[in-house]
Amino acid sequence: LQELNQAEEMHGLMKRLFPLCRSITGKGLRDSFFILKEIIPSLTLTEVKTGTKCFDWTIPREWNIRSARLTAPDESVVADYSANNLSIVNYSVPVDKYLTLAELQSHLYSSPSVPEAIPYVTSYYKEHWGFCLPHEKRVSLEEGLYHAKIDSSLTEGSLTYASMLIPGETEKEVLLSSYLCHPSMANNELSGPCVLIYLVRWLLSSKRRFSYRVVIAPETIGTIAYLSRHYEDMRKNTVAGFVLTCIGDDGAWSYIPSRLGNTYADLVCKNLLRTSHSGYKCYTFLDRGSDERQYCSPGIDLPVCSVTRSKYGTYREYHTSLDNLDFVSPAALGESFDFYKELIENIENNDIYERKILCEPQMSSRGLRSSLGFYEGGLPSKNIMNTLAYTDGHADCLKVSESTGLKMKEVCDIYKLLEHHELVKKSR
Amino acid sequence: LQELNQAEEMHGLMKRLFPLCRSITGKGLRDSFFILKEIIPSLTLTEVKTGTKCFDWTIPREWNIRSARLTAPDESVVADYSANNLSIVNYSVPVDKYLTLAELQSHLYSSPSVPEAIPYVTSYYKEHWGFCLPHEKRVSLEEGLYHAKIDSSLTEGSLTYASMLIPGETEKEVLLSSYLCHPSMANNELSGPCVLIYLVRWLLSSKRRFSYRVVIAPETIGTIAYLSRHYEDMRKNTVAGFVLTCIGDDGAWSYIPSRLGNTYADLVCKNLLRTSHSGYKCYTFLDRGSDERQYCSPGIDLPVCSVTRSKYGTYREYHTSLDNLDFVSPAALGESFDFYKELIENIENNDIYERKILCEPQMSSRGLRSSLGFYEGGLPSKNIMNTLAYTDGHADCLKVSESTGLKMKEVCDIYKLLEHHELVKKSR
Amino acid sequence: LQELNQAEEMHGLMKRLFPLCRSITGKGLRDSFFILKEIIPSLTLTEVKTGTKCFDWTIPREWNIRSARLTAPDESVVADYSANNLSIVNYSVPVDKYLTLAELQSHLYSSPSVPEAIPYVTSYYKEHWGFCLPHEKRVSLEEGLYHAKIDSSLTEGSLTYASMLIPGETEKEVLLSSYLCHPSMANNELSGPCVLIYLVRWLLSSKRRFSYRVVIAPETIGTIAYLSRHYEDMRKNTVAGFVLTCIGDDGAWSYIPSRLGNTYADLVCKNLLRTSHSGYKCYTFLDRGSDERQYCSPGIDLPVCSVTRSKYGTYREYHTSLDNLDFVSPAALGESFDFYKELIENIENNDIYERKILCEPQMSSRGLRSSLGFYEGGLPSKNIMNTLAYTDGHADCLKVSESTGLKMKEVCDIYKLLEHHELVKKSR
């Protein structure tokens, strides 16, 4: 029940965040972070001033928008920011102008392949304005004089990101990263920060072995800004990291590896997917698209991969107004929460055990095996024996899971049982 | 002819051993070893006293049985030890009691999936008694008072195992292991010790490079008892070891790897199977079931794997009265003997050769190739050239076999020929 | 156009060479080399005297032939050297003799599987004479007295090979090897030296990083003679080598690996085949047949592999009179030239680059990416981003090609662009 409630809560949070017009800077973004802070007050917001150099990038002016509307010659509304904030090219400069349809065309954006949807378009780094609309609407526009009016501003200001470091028993840390900069779209991107913020709440609920670094920043530039200030510490301490995105729909589980492909982050991800969602889709790093691009960058070299449901760029609704609250569900958010929670527990519990006795122990005397040797009776203790067989004082739970085909959780549970019977002891 | 005779001899030995009621201790087991000693008098029997600690295990009391019978209310015999020693739960305590059918049920064992057969059931480590019978017979039992009478004893005594060490030119040794503890069943288990004892006779027939350690013990506890006294020497000297079991039927050749999967024992086994029985079945260590469980145990870590015909647990007759003398054949025993003999010869002959000249030798001047260059004429010397091509002073015959696809036996024969022509010399 | 001309030139060269009766020694061989020297005057001819020891081999007497004819009892001509020089067993000793058909049979060679063709037969190392003829003709021969007349000579003389070393910026060298010893056959073998000599002309046209060693020798004994004098230098300097043969027909691209299978030569070959001819046939070293037998010989150990079209021994026309000028084409010769040229360029340009900035660069500000973020717009800059993603200061262009799936040529072009934008610099 508690889990059902939490899935609904995550979905409720997404509903609150959905209408805000986010961008890589500005009030919509800042207000979104304030909502997240209501759940996790210790989340820290950082402002990076316009003009600040971050590696190869410069923080742009802050963009804010109040209203925008494109009106047809017959006074009907073609596109209206207040109806859907995707209607405006994100970062549009102000305009108030009458144009012929021909003149207007280079300021209109639509998607012939998803003709009923408004596409998502941005122009962060070049001054431009434009309206986005369904392609089927665009092709029906008639000749005449259109009125384009955008009330926006580009001013000295700052880019905002949220982050926190949850200290654990060790300085070694796990990175959990998501991004916030898209306007009204649900799976990509609100599913990521919404699940992440609830994972943080769970992480804070008890003491952990590892420290946890949480980053929620505008994609690309925000993450680059964050990395430019923290990458040396992160490179020293990060044992594994994950980019959380596109985890709100019910598509197939999908894995995007790190650049090196075989980091500890990859190994625990692939292990959990193999033992829990064996039909998962396996992409390559060439299919990457989110902030693993920065985290895995040569010289940064963090062990970061990503597990999504329907991967960005692979589903029809992606980057359009169809990626809305109907496309995601509380159930799917709950499953994604559970996946990352189990992943983190696996990392927390990935101990190495050693055996206290040579050869097989006498299991039946400890009640761990039937005293009756009867083949027909099956071998319910096979999992225990397999775990013991691979307990060599070097293999961690991950490796034992790989060798036995058991889930890491099952391996850990078996070790607790065997520890209780004094058959194994933790060696790390 | 001699080989045919030997196959018949092995089958004859199995016939003599079949009726005896073996267990992990007792007279039936001891008498079985006495029969093996008739063929190999130098086989040493060792008695391990009741109560002796062997790693985690304690040698149990010795079990002996004289008679056992379950009589129906109408005086008909339901199960009789003298008709088939599988009729009794092995290690049954004595009983002489009248029970209703309902009371009797918890002492009856039958197999619904093989309803016409008596299943094999044991209760070594918990005091219990019971009768085993065909399921089709069990379901036809009528209400009334049954008479269960078992004349058995559990007394201070000892567990018996047989072993020997055949010294070779080097202390490095090959382990050949089988087990003896099952009552009247042929493929699992008599095929193993019967083929093994004839391999020992062949091994003794001439001087060998390696020493050979032969162990025939009651499965699990007998092997653990043996290992607890010898594992340090074995760990120091063993180059490869094999568990011989289920090698009397004509099922597909089957390979059960060692725990590590890539030991020298595995490599020579897989090589011989690949080059001689290419359709062989490949199991994993998770499918193990016999004494490789102990030999491959962490801390023991011997390079031991197993090649069987129909693997234990995979055939319908397994652990029932159907695994009888009809299920095995002299021909299959002969084939298994030949397999392990060739395996041992491959280990004995796995030398490294080096070439005495650079580039290809002039083969036609030595009669090793046709002097006529004629493509139509084929290349009967291709095998020789391939062997030479991989003779780099580092590759042993096993590696050359893997590179060329030739059997190790063929590689060795080619090296003898090339040595005769002074084109190669042994470098190890 | 220039390339078309060159393809025709190569084919023209092959036409001139085709009629000459080559062998492993003699005038036909020497005259063939003189024709090659017309194109590359700096090609050096070396004569190795009869009786010279070369590793295990001794240079045989020089063979020359003036005429040979087999006449039927009815005076009709059965086989005539002047009509086709395959009609004579290569290295036939002189004879002038009348024989019955029965006596003649052991001197006749024909191929039942290619009955319309004259097969190619040699007897270099054992004195013998014989005639080769279509099998369908042989079976129609009638009884009677045949006249065999061969006017040939075996005299003290020498074996000829051609070679040169084109110095580059470094002493490290690439080996390009082909062979010359077959009489009138086109794909195997004239395609090899004809393409090779034009590659040499192209290599000489500008300064190269690597030195190039060119060897054209009679197959087997000529290459062994060459190696016996040069293998120590070659072993020290060779980074990659290739045997050029069977590259004149339009069969599938085929790859024969080196003995070790994973040398630098193999890696660049497989890379180019994978990215340009993805359906190529992959053979093993067991399928070898040409001078890679010597180059890859243990103790010689050069990194040499081979890319052919229809591999020797796999096509019906092989080693018969059907492997004639109709079997090859200018177009196929041109494609083979282009393949080896690109292979060499890949080796020449296989640099390592490093990035000058951390994280992704701002591409749109440099015009390397659209300033518009619009998914529908595609990602024409994906190849650039992928190349950058794998630029870690350690990966050479070959490795980046393997990681990105781009051709090496494409990777190199992208690096030139990125170097221009000061985003990367060459680190080796």
Side-chain angles (χ1 to χ4, degrees), chain A residues 232-388:
Chain A
E232 282 173 340
D233 279 356
M234 292 170 80
R235 211 159 51 175
K236 199 170 66 198
N237 291 329
T238 308
V239 297
F242 309 98
V243 173
L244 281 72
T245 178
C246 295
I247 47 178
D249 75 315
D250 59 3
W253 292 92
S254 302
Y255 159 69
I256 303 113
S258 74
R259 183 168 64 87
L260 298 175
N262 232 11
T263 69
Y264 185 55
D266 294 284
L267 299 182
V268 288
C269 268
K270 283 190 281 191
N271 174 271
L272 181 54
L273 287 165
R274 225 179 346 235
T275 56
S276 306
H277 305 285
S278 57
Y280 74 96
K281 282 194 188 175
C282 195
Y283 288 95
T284 78
F285 189 65
L286 300 178
D287 303 305
R288 73 198 177 285
S290 187
D291 287 324
E292 64 278 1
R293 282 157 35 216
Q294 315 311 330
Y295 294 128
C296 296
S297 200
I300 305 293
D301 290 316
L302 296 176
V304 173
C305 62
S306 187
V307 171
T308 69
R309 299 301 286 266
S310 295
K311 193 184 82 76
Y312 40 79
T314 68
Y315 59 97
R316 190 171 181 272
E317 295 82 356
Y318 175 69
H319 269 201
T320 76
S321 55
L322 298 179
D323 187 350
N324 55 30
L325 291 167
D326 294 337
F327 188 66
V328 297
S329 72
L333 292 168
E335 287 166 14
S336 294
F337 178 89
D338 292 343
F339 179 88
Y340 277 102
K341 177 167 173 265
E342 187 168 345
L343 194 63
I344 290 168
E345 285 173 330
N346 286 350
I347 293 172
E348 288 275 321
N349 297 323
N350 189 17
D351 294 306
I352 294 175
Y353 288 83
E354 60 186 281
R355 301 166 60 130
K356 299 177 73 172
I357 49 169
L358 287 168
C359 283
E360 283 187 3
Q362 227 287 24
M363 303 303 272
S364 65
S365 68
R366 294 173 172 90
L368 294 173
R369 178 177 213 146
S370 166
S371 64
L372 207 72
F374 183 17
Y375 185 67
E376 189 79 9
L379 286 173
S381 63
K382 187 86 184 174
N383 290 348
I384 298 178
M385 299 315 282
N386 281 346
T387 298
L388 263 178

Side-chain angles (χ1 to χ4, degrees), chain C residues 166 173-177 195-214 239-242 244 264-265 268-269 271-272 336-351 408-409 412:
Chain C
I166 308 171
E173 63 185 52
V174 174
L175 170 67
L176 300 173
S177 176
V195 169
L196 177 47
I197 213 75
Y198 278 86
L199 281 169
V200 171
R201 194 174 71 170
W202 165 74
L203 280 169
L204 290 170
S205 70
S206 65
K207 189 77 186 158
R208 308 291 166 186
R209 174 187 299 188
F210 290 100
S211 299
Y212 287 82
R213 186 181 293 267
V214 178
V239 296
F242 308 98
L244 281 72
Y264 185 56
V268 288
C269 267
N271 174 271
L272 182 53
S336 294
F337 177 89
D338 292 344
F339 179 89
Y340 277 102
K341 178 167 172 266
E342 187 168 345
L343 194 63
I344 289 167
E345 285 172 331
N346 286 350
I347 293 171
E348 288 276 321
N349 297 323
N350 188 18
D351 294 306
M408 278 183 76
K409 190 156 64 175
C412 294

Side-chain angles (χ1 to χ4, degrees), chain B residues 286-319:
Chain B
L286 300 178
D287 303 305
R288 74 198 178 284
S290 187
D291 287 324
E292 64 278 0
R293 282 157 34 215
Q294 315 312 328
Y295 293 128
C296 297
S297 200
I300 304 293
D301 290 317
L302 297 176
V304 173
C305 63
S306 186
V307 171
T308 69
R309 300 300 287 266
S310 296
K311 192 185 82 79
Y312 40 79
T314 67
Y315 58 97
R316 189 170 182 273
E317 295 82 356
Y318 175 69
H319 269 202

